[in-house]
């Protein structure tokens, strides 16, 4: 019997049958490419709110009278992750809630969403704490900034067994505090270093107080990173002061900030890790993304005219359920034409932190390959 | 060939060096055990945990530091070794390009189901091609080393001679030599620079992980789930060949899909007649000068791709 049929029969059979179904079956239910969502409760309307580009933003559940069950089935390709909320209308008032039947959730700076995994998707084991992995530490540092007219707080990840007598590569991460909180960056670095998939490295975690402005290709930001942040860190920590040992990372507007910084200071960063870059450009006319994108579009248009060679290696990724996939795909041949070594990955995922987390292993080990094949301790 | 040796798996969680050393060289006159931790590179001197474990005097031979000191004083040798390193890296890349195709064919034939009378000769032929490539690679790397030795005479250089004399004095009084794991190429090339085997002579050796790998005829690099590139095991080069008949795989349970029967079979048949022994935590292999033995729990791969006790 299909799950839909089982739900419909339970709805007809009465509350005891519904209770029995819910006690024995977890929802959402994934069978092949079909996901079945269930909601139980009195409401006027129930809908699935998601952020998958290409689907209607709101998908209506169907009420299974005479019960208080609501059901929805959708197609979800294998390997997908989908974050969502339920829109529930009570007495003419709508509210967005996490799916009460789904314990899986994904956090972001705005709260948390329910999440459903398509067939074949597994959260990566390298993103969860490994008791065998030695833990790195995170220090708070204040960076003096003349560019921004005041101090900036950053965090610095130091690998386990850090020692002053060694020289380390540096990765500068935009939205670094968010990468720690929502993409498990510290755990990921600990694990990948432990597994020898990347070398021990330092990671400067920056967090802008005005990110939409500063990350939107603001020239001051690049000057801060290249002229203030990195030199001050190099004065404190034993860093390899060479482009090949410097990487820059960012997602969304953070990827714009990364590319713009590297582009305006070519040869400073050898490696770029760009995730779901908000690389909106125009071929003709105006863009429709709102004024916050104006400087971004100006920058990307300019970059496309004169890309130069901002770095030596680029790892770029984007979810196929993002509206930004078109822009990210379009940028790949341009990046390749610059002579940089480029790897581009698409994922069945959206514009969210767990998508960015899930791409870190491949991106970091591509840019900073570790001594995996040579070290046997 | 070493007179007696014990090879062990990783020591971090299940330290077994002390009973092995005490077995081969019972403590009696307080002479310090010699230990090589050069594979730990810049952490070479961080050996307190090992000393605490041993509960008897330990002398670190400081191989890594000595070579760094030689490099400071003999920049010509440093440049020559770096050039050799670059050459070896390029040769390894070229070997890898050829290896991928041959391994794909061998793997496909081993996985294919059908008339074994037809398949087996093809499988054997494919494996022999891989084995020939491995042999050719070992020979090519050996030729690079020979050329390096002939041109730069590293053993005859003043700084190397001076450091080797100091090492010799330390080894002379040691009842046993321990070789820790770590970076296998660093360990191999630095021990070779001082011809440590000649200094060890008839002394027993306890080695683990990379330390065990370098003592055998061939060094095989491996990982079945690397984040980048091919997962085919690669022969790096010949080891010191101080012990016979094995290829060892430290951290096998973490690094190898040992329960993938075809994968294990390909490994075992590729490296025969050597035995593929798994050096996991708790594993131990004893060599008495002529033959190997192992306590229960130390496993090898069979030709059929199964796991089996080494002693079976």
């Amino acid at each position: 019997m299909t799950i839909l049929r089982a739900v419909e029969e339970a709805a007809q059979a009465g509350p005891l049958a519904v209770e029995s179904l819910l006690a024995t079956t977890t929802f959402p239910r994934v069978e092949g490419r079909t996901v079945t969502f269930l909601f139980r409760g009195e409401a006027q309307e129930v809908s699935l709110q998601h952020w998958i580009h290409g689907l209607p933003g709101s998908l209506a559940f169907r009420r299974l009278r005479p019960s208080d069950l609501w059901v929805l089935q959708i197609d979800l390709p294998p390997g997908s992750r989908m974050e969502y909320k339920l829109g529930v209308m009570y007495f003419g008032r709508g509210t967005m809630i996490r799916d009460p039947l789904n314990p899986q959730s994904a956090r972001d700076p705005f709260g948390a969403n329910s999440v459903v995994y398509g067939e074949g998707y597994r959260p990566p084991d390298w993103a969860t704490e490994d008791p065998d992995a030695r833990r790195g530490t995170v220090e708070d540092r204040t960076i003096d900034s003349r560019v921004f007219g005041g101090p900036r707080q950053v965090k610095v990840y130091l690998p386990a067994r850090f020692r002053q007598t060694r020289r380390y590569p540096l990765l500068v991460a935009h939205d670094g505090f968010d990468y720690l909180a929502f993409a498990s960056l510290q755990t990921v670095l600990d694990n990948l270093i432990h597994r020898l998939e990347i070398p021990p490295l330092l990671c400067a975690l920056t967090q802008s107080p005005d990110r939409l402005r500063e990350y939107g290709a603001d020239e001051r930001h690049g000057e801060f990173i290249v002229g203030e942040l990195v030199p001050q860190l190099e004065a404190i920590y034993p860093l390899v002061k060479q482009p090949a040992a410097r990487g820059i990372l960012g997602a969304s507007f953070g990827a714009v900030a990364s590319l713009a910084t590297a582009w305006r200071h070519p040869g400073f960063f050898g490696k770029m890790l760009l995730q779901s870059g908000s690389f909106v450009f125009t071929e003709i006319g105006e863009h429709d993304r709102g004024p916050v994108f104006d400087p971004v579009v100006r920058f990307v248009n300019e970059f496309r005219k004169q890309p130069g060679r901002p770095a030596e290696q680029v790892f770029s990724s984007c979810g196929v359920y993002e509206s930004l996939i078109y822009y990210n795909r379009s940028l790949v041949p341009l990046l390749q034409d610059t002579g940089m070594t480029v790897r581009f990955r698409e994922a069945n995922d959206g514009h969210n932190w767990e998508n960015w987390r899930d791409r870190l292993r491949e991106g970091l080990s591509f840019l900073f390959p570790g001594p995996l094949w040579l070290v046997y301790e | 060939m070493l007179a007696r040796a014990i090879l062990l798996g990783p020591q971090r969680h299940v330290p077994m060096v002390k009973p092995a050393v005490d077995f081969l060289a019972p403590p009696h006159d307080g002479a310090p055990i010699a230990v090589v931790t050069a594979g730990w590179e810049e952490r070479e001197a961080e050996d307190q945990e090992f000393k605490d474990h041993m509960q008897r005097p330990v002398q670190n031979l400081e191989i890594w530091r000595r070579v760094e000191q030689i490099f400071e004083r003999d920049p010509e040798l440093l440049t020559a070794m770096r050039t050799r390193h670059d050459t070896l890296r390029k040769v390894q890349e070229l070997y890898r390009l050829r290896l991928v195709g041959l391994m794909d064919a061998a793997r496909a034939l081993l996985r294919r189901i059908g008339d074994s009378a037809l398949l087996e000769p093809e499988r054997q032929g494919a494996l022999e091609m891989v084995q020939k490539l491995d042999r050719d690679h070992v020979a090519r790397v050996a030729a690079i080393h020979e050329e390096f030795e002939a041109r730069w005479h590293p053993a005859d250089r003043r700084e190397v001679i001076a450091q080797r004399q100091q090492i010799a004095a330390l080894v002379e009084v040691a009842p046993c030599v321990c070789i820790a794991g770590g970076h296998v190429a660093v360990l191999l090339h630095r021990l070779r620079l001082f011809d440590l085997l000649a200094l060890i002579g008839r002394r027993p050796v306890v080695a683990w992980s990379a330390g065990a790998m370098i003592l055998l005829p061939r060094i095989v690099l491996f990982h079945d789930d690397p984040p980048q590139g091919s997962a085919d095991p690669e022969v790096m080069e010949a080891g010191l060949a101080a012990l016979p008949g094995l290829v060892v795989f430290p951290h096998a349970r973490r690094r190898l899909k040992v329960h993938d029967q075809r994968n294990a079979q390909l490994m075992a048949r590729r490296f025969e007649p050597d035995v593929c022994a798994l050096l996991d935590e708790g594993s131990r292999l004893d060599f008495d000068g002529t033959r190997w033995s192992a306590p229960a729990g130390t496993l090898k791969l069979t030709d059929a791709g199964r796991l089996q006790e080494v002693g079976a």
Side-chain angles (χ1 to χ4, degrees):
Chain A
M1 185 189 308
T2 66
I3 189 65
L4 183 60
R5 181 73 183 274
V7 169
E8 288 170 339
E9 286 189 3
Q12 288 297 323
L16 283 178
V18 170
E19 294 292 344
S20 173
L21 175 74
L22 292 176
T24 55
T25 311
T26 56
F27 290 92
R29 179 90 174 167
V30 179
E31 292 171 319
R33 291 175 62 105
T34 302
V35 184
T36 304
F37 296 89
L38 201 65
F39 177 78
R40 188 180 192 197
E42 286 302 332
Q44 291 167 294
E45 291 175 13
V46 179
S47 61
L48 186 81
Q49 307 289 327
H50 61 86
W51 298 270
I52 291 184
H53 183 65
L55 290 179
S58 173
L59 298 167
F61 280 60
R62 176 165 59 95
R63 175 100 187 234
L64 298 177
R65 295 188 183 281
S67 77
D68 55 358
L69 287 180
W70 300 72
V71 69
L72 170 69
Q73 285 192 318
I74 67 166
D75 174 54
L76 192 65
S80 296
R81 264 185 81 264
M82 185 179 85
E83 297 192 11
Y84 68 97
K85 277 196 165 81
L86 299 184
V88 183
M89 183 80 81
Y90 296 104
F91 308 112
R93 291 187 61 185
T95 181
M96 297 268 277
I97 61 170
R98 291 208 300 274
D99 184 346
L101 296 179
N102 184 358
Q104 305 275 10
S105 65
R107 295 186 307 130
D108 64 21
F110 309 105
N113 298 313
S114 293
V115 59
V116 62
Y117 304 147
E119 190 174 66
Y121 175 86
R122 296 281 178 280
D125 61 354
W126 46 264
T128 56
E129 282 190 24
D130 176 354
D132 254 11
R134 294 179 172 91
R135 301 293 308 273
T137 54
V138 175
E139 296 184 346
D140 291 308
R141 290 281 176 184
T142 302
I143 301 298
D144 297 322
S145 176
R146 280 195 299 177
V147 172
F148 287 125
R152 286 289 168 108
Q153 302 304 314
V154 301
K155 294 178 185 291
V156 179
Y157 168 86
L158 305 179
R161 302 196 286 189
F162 169 79
R163 58 211 318 276
Q164 280 289 346
T165 52
R166 187 173 178 171
R167 291 282 176 273
Y168 294 90
L170 174 68
L171 174 67
V172 174
H174 292 92
D175 295 313
F177 299 6
D178 292 337
Y179 264 106
L180 287 180
F182 308 118
S184 311
L185 182 59
Q186 183 174 357
T187 301
V188 170
L189 291 172
D190 286 343
N191 288 345
L192 297 185
I193 291 168
H194 168 69
R195 295 173 176 214
L196 307 167
E197 294 182 7
I198 62 172
L201 52 75
L202 269 68
C203 182
L205 304 145
T206 69
Q207 192 82 13
S208 167
D210 189 6
R211 72 183 293 278
L212 289 181
R213 183 174 169 205
E214 293 178 3
Y215 286 2
D218 185 331
E219 285 188 30
R220 295 174 305 161
H221 176 74
E223 291 167 16
F224 167 69
I225 296 289
V226 171
E228 297 179 330
L229 173 74
V230 174
Q232 289 181 47
L233 293 178
E234 287 178 344
I236 300 169
Y237 298 107
L239 296 167
V240 181
K241 298 177 183 177
Q242 292 172 356
R246 291 192 196 114
I248 191 163
L249 158 69
S252 191
F253 263 52
V256 175
S258 300
L259 179 60
T261 298
W263 182 65
R264 292 196 174 112
H265 303 272
F268 190 83
F269 287 100
K271 302 159 192 297
M272 292 192 288
L273 209 170
L274 310 175
Q275 301 196 293
S276 303
S278 304
F279 300 132
V280 176
F281 58 81
T282 53
E283 300 284 7
I284 184 170
E286 301 297 320
H287 68 89
D288 59 358
R289 298 240 172 192
V292 74
F293 269 84
D294 286 348
V296 173
V297 172
R298 279 197 297 274
F299 158 66
V300 181
N301 285 348
E302 188 65 22
F303 173 73
R304 294 177 76 224
K305 281 183 203 158
Q306 295 182 302
R309 188 181 172 115
E312 293 302 312
Q313 281 182 287
V314 189
F315 182 91
S316 172
S317 67
C318 192
V320 297
Y321 305 148
E322 301 183 53
S323 66
L324 292 166
I325 187 66
Y326 160 73
Y327 301 104
N328 280 268
R329 279 179 184 153
S330 301
L331 218 52
V332 174
L334 186 75
L335 293 170
Q336 288 169 330
D337 285 348
T338 65
M340 295 187 290
T341 305
V342 180
R343 183 172 295 179
F344 178 62
R345 279 289 176 269
E346 297 182 358
N348 288 349
D349 210 325
H351 196 77
N352 60 66
W353 283 98
E354 292 194 0
N355 174 14
W356 302 330
R357 176 199 67 190
D358 288 2
R359 311 278 88 72
L360 285 173
R361 181 193 188 210
E362 186 178 6
L364 288 170
S365 63
F366 171 70
L367 297 174
F368 294 96
L372 177 71
W373 285 79
L374 287 166
V375 173
Y376 304 81
E377 286 192 332
Chain B
M1 194 70 68
L2 290 171
R4 286 185 304 160
I6 294 177
L7 305 184
L8 301 171
Q11 293 297 295
R12 183 177 166 203
H13 295 302
V14 188
M16 300 168 61
V17 180
K18 179 176 169 47
V21 170
D22 289 349
F23 174 75
L24 292 175
H28 58 91
D29 62 357
I33 300 296
V35 65
V36 175
T37 56
W40 302 351
E41 302 177 88
E42 73 279 359
R43 293 187 292 102
E44 178 185 61
E46 296 175 9
D47 58 5
Q48 191 56 50
E49 198 174 334
F50 175 74
K51 288 173 175 169
D52 292 344
H53 165 67
M54 289 305 294
Q55 299 176 334
R56 59 191 284 187
V58 171
Q59 174 65 54
N60 196 318
L61 297 181
E62 300 180 285
I63 302 283
W64 190 83
R65 178 192 65 76
R66 292 175 194 280
V67 176
E68 293 298 301
Q69 194 172 319
I70 289 169
F71 287 160
E72 279 176 25
R73 295 176 181 174
D74 189 347
E76 185 182 63
L77 182 63
L78 171 62
T79 304
M81 289 184 78
R82 280 188 175 161
T83 303
R84 179 182 64 169
H85 173 79
D86 288 344
T87 305
L88 291 173
R89 188 171 48 78
K90 287 172 187 165
V91 166
Q92 194 76 20
E93 284 174 14
L94 297 176
Y95 159 74
R96 190 176 301 135
L97 283 176
R98 296 175 64 193
L99 180 66
V100 168
L102 295 182
M103 286 291 284
D104 281 349
R107 191 178 295 109
L109 285 162
L110 280 174
R111 291 189 189 283
R112 195 172 185 103
I113 296 167
D115 183 348
S116 62
L118 288 176
L119 276 173
E120 192 50 36
E122 300 299 331
R123 289 172 177 156
Q124 190 58 35
L127 281 162
E128 284 171 6
M129 291 177 75
V130 177
Q131 289 167 335
K132 179 177 184 309
L133 176 64
D134 289 344
R135 280 195 306 275
D136 290 349
H137 179 63
V138 167
R140 182 153 195 208
V141 172
I144 291 167
H145 287 308
E146 281 170 23
E147 188 183 326
F148 175 84
E149 303 274 335
R151 181 169 181 192
W152 300 104
H153 301 286
D156 301 332
R157 300 177 87 91
R158 191 178 62 190
E159 296 298 331
V160 176
I161 291 170
Q163 293 291 351
R164 187 168 190 268
Q165 285 172 345
Q166 293 177 25
I167 296 167
L170 298 173
V171 174
E172 177 68 27
V173 298
C176 180
V177 176
C178 295
I179 305 175
H183 196 294
V184 69
V186 167
L187 194 54
L188 176 71
H189 294 156
R190 295 195 177 206
L191 295 195
R192 197 179 266 156
L193 180 66
F194 294 124
D195 193 10
L196 189 74
L197 274 188
L199 300 179
I200 289 173
R202 303 285 299 165
R203 284 169 192 79
V205 170
V206 175
W208 59 97
S209 296
M213 294 167 79
I214 64 160
L215 294 173
L216 295 160
R218 281 179 296 183
I219 295 172
V220 176
L221 310 177
F222 63 99
H223 200 297
D224 278 348
D225 185 26
Q228 307 286 335
S230 159
D232 293 327
E234 297 176 11
V235 174
M236 185 181 90
E237 58 180 278
L240 298 175
L243 296 168
L246 292 183
V247 175
V248 291
F249 297 91
H251 295 285
R253 287 187 190 281
R254 182 156 63 84
R255 298 177 69 118
L256 288 179
K257 295 172 183 168
V258 290
H259 296 293
D260 178 335
Q261 188 183 351
R262 294 299 171 216
N263 198 47
Q265 186 180 30
L266 178 55
M267 189 102 80
R269 290 185 63 176
R270 175 180 171 188
F271 296 119
E272 60 188 13
D274 290 344
V275 170
C276 291
L278 309 184
L279 279 185
D280 279 305
E281 289 181 343
S283 300
R284 170 171 164 160
L285 292 156
D286 288 44
F287 182 70
D288 66 3
T290 53
R291 59 185 291 276
W292 289 101
S293 62
T298 300
L299 302 175
K300 66 179 179 184
L301 304 178
T302 69
D303 283 359
R306 308 279 186 200
L307 293 175
Q308 189 179 69
E309 299 272 345
V310 168

